[in-house]
Amino acid sequence: MSPELPFFLALSAILFTIGLTGVLLRRSPLTILLSLEIMLNSVNLTLVAFSRQVGGSDGQVFALIVMGIAAAEVVVGLGLVVAMTRREMVLDTDELRTLNG
Amino acid sequence: MSLVVFFIAAIAAIASAVAVVAQRNPFVSALALLGNLASLAALMLLLEAQFVAAAQIIVYAGAIMVMFLFVIAYVGPKSEIGAGDRKPWQPVLAIVAGILIAVQVVVVVFGASFGEAAAVDATYGGPGAIGAALVTDYLLAFEVVSVVLFLAAVAGVVFGTGARPRRLTADEVLVKEGESAEARRRAASRALIDAARPARTGEAGR
């Protein structure tokens, strides 16, 4: 017996909320970026699972495009972290409050 | 058999995701995310998405995670210092909200009926099918992603090299030191004048 679609959807929902909780809880920008990766990957799993259910390859193409966008997001995020380190700023999102309203 | 593989991979994925969030050392977090990506690739193989699973391993585990590890090695494995300025109830509320969202979605998903999965042939999920879809139906998205990646590479170069403070030339250093000597002299004389005045006029003058 092979696992049904709801199993995959439930797993990806659980992974998504773990990543969401990580974004909310952690203050290091590096860990926040890692938690964002968990969220993006869980959405990828949902896309692939629905693609298998429908029998088309559209969902898999979406998943690949999400991977490309995730790569771009990581480049920009890590570039910001490196720039912050070079300016000897504190790597703590609670301390970075210049734009805080 | 595939149900057993599903549960092993699912438990590994959840455990490594929790480890990513809970670990204090970002280096260990990144390695745990590697385990998460591998178990998700196994799940994608169960869904007969071979090409996406391979791309997951090559692109994520091979390229993105290596970049992460390089940056963590550059920044140093600093953990968070101090408690921040968060109220003590805020993390508790975040965890409770996360659990509530997960429970809601799981209940809804198991209550819905999706019907039987479609029958697929042997070419499903292979590079041929994905490539054909990428260059026909999704050509615009494909090209847009390439432009986005190019812009991200430019942004990475700008962040990485443009942020360095400019090194002053010898003349500018002299000018700056002269300015600061002048400023120091002015501040010292102002302090002398303030000390000579009676205290209340000093307060009022400021």
Side-chain angles (χ1 to χ4, degrees):
Chain A
M1 178 194 166
S2 63
E4 301 277 330
L5 178 64
F7 288 92
F8 289 98
L9 297 184
L11 173 65
S12 85
I14 291 169
L15 287 177
F16 188 87
T17 46
I18 290 173
L20 181 67
T21 318
V23 172
L24 289 174
L25 284 181
R26 301 305 302 270
R27 287 180 286 122
S28 155
L30 282 169
T31 320
I32 289 177
L33 280 173
L34 289 170
S35 304
L36 275 176
E37 294 299 310
I38 297 179
M39 294 169 77
L40 286 166
N41 271 302
S42 70
V43 172
N44 267 353
L45 183 66
T46 310
L47 287 171
V48 171
F50 271 117
S51 169
R52 175 69 189 78
Q53 179 81 8
V54 177
S57 52
D58 303 346
Q60 300 184 11
V61 173
F62 285 1
L64 286 173
I65 289 169
V66 168
M67 273 183 213
I69 299 299
E73 168 247 324
V74 165
V75 167
V76 175
L78 291 181
L80 282 173
V81 169
V82 169
M84 278 156 60
T85 311
R86 290 164 72 113
R87 287 162 181 248
E88 298 178 355
M89 292 161 77
V90 186
L91 285 183
D92 186 334
T93 48
D94 277 8
E95 300 293 326
L96 304 169
R97 48 176 65 234
T98 312
L99 294 178
N100 199 347
Chain B
M1 177 58 205
S2 57
L3 207 59
V4 176
V5 176
F6 172 82
F7 278 110
I8 292 173
I11 290 168
I14 292 174
S16 53
V18 170
V20 171
V21 173
Q23 272 295 331
R24 289 281 144 197
N25 186 345
F27 211 82
V28 182
S29 282
L31 292 181
L33 185 59
L34 217 54
N36 190 31
L37 297 173
S39 35
L40 279 184
L43 290 169
M44 285 174 180
L45 281 180
L46 276 185
L47 290 164
E48 291 168 70
Q50 295 93 345
F51 183 74
V52 180
Q56 170 101 349
I57 293 291
I58 294 169
V59 174
Y60 258 116
I64 297 182
M65 290 316 296
V66 170
M67 196 159 67
F68 255 111
L69 289 175
F70 263 113
V71 170
I72 291 170
Y74 175 72
V75 170
K78 292 177 219 154
S79 55
E80 291 152 357
I81 310 151
D85 64 341
R86 300 188 174 182
K87 312 281 184 297
W89 48 267
Q90 281 174 328
V92 178
L93 202 64
I95 293 173
V96 169
I99 291 172
L100 282 181
I101 294 171
V103 167
Q104 273 182 352
V105 178
V106 169
V107 166
V108 167
V109 153
F110 278 107
S113 61
F114 293 100
E116 283 295 298
V120 291
D121 56 5
T123 61
Y124 177 80
I130 304 289
L134 264 183
V135 295
T136 53
D137 292 346
Y138 297 100
L139 184 62
L140 181 65
F142 185 61
E143 297 293 343
V144 168
V145 165
S146 71
V147 173
V148 168
L149 279 173
F150 171 70
L151 290 178
V154 173
V157 170
V158 170
F159 285 147
T161 61
R164 188 198 295 270
R166 195 167 57 90
R167 188 182 289 274
L168 297 176
T169 62
D171 285 350
E172 283 171 331
V173 169
L174 280 179
V175 167
K176 207 174 176 189
E177 279 176 356
E179 276 173 0
S180 63
E182 176 74 21
R184 242 180 281 131
R185 208 164 46 75
R186 271 192 212 144
S189 59
R190 207 176 300 129
L192 271 179
I193 292 166
D194 281 353
R197 276 184 195 155
R200 54 191 164 80
T201 52
E203 286 298 318
R206 229 170 279 150

